[in-house]
Amino acid sequence: MREGEANMAASNQPDHPIRSRTGESGTAAKTSAASAFALVFGVAALISVLTVFLSTVGLLLGIIGIVLGIVGLRMARRPGVTGRGVAIGGLVLSVLAVLVALAFAAGITTFLNNEDAVDRLDRRIEDLRDELPR
């Protein structure tokens, strides 16, 4: 390649092809710790809630994840701090986990307050007990 062609090719390229958010000090932006923890708590809450046995733990983790997600969104507004998408992801997963936990709690409460359903369950347990080999 001749020198003139090299200069022409270089002039066609943008001066800064990738712009990253930088803080006042000129260093690369850091992801907010609150955003990262919101995502971790959101995933843990959803997994806990879906196991049903740990739905109360998942509810607690989900509430913590919501708080951290909101804090992460506020921190992402600061210069030199990123993590808005991570905070939104954690917030969505945490809210979903809380809603599923509340739905399970409402379903279990409704079931336990229904005497016919409890009697049917009790009869079924007695039938299964009778079928066990001695």
Side-chain angles (χ1 to χ4, degrees):
M1 208 178 208
R2 288 183 275 169
E3 186 177 327
E5 290 175 355
N7 289 337
M8 183 187 268
S11 66
N12 290 337
Q13 296 177 356
D15 293 336
H16 30 65
I18 300 174
R19 289 188 182 201
S20 64
R21 287 181 56 185
T22 58
E24 294 174 7
S25 63
T27 60
K30 303 285 186 195
T31 301
S32 163
S35 299
F37 279 119
L39 185 62
V40 169
F41 274 88
V43 170
L46 194 58
I47 290 172
S48 297
V49 166
L50 292 178
T51 61
V52 181
F53 295 112
L54 298 173
S55 62
T56 55
V57 173
L59 179 64
L60 180 64
L61 292 174
I63 292 170
I64 294 170
I66 290 171
V67 171
L68 287 172
I70 293 169
V71 170
L73 281 174
R74 289 185 182 210
M75 289 180 72
R77 292 181 187 164
R78 295 180 182 173
V81 179
T82 62
R84 178 174 165 79
V86 175
I88 291 172
L91 197 57
V92 167
L93 290 176
S94 297
V95 167
L96 186 63
V98 167
L99 291 177
V100 171
L102 292 176
F104 281 155
I108 290 171
T109 303
T110 303
F111 177 78
L112 291 177
N113 287 331
N114 185 350
E115 289 183 28
D116 292 334
V118 174
D119 290 339
R120 283 194 311 266
L121 182 62
D122 191 37
R123 276 185 263 135
R124 183 66 182 146
I125 289 171
E126 288 297 325
D127 291 343
L128 288 173
R129 226 181 255 155
D130 290 341
E131 292 176 11
L132 287 174
R134 299 191 195 269

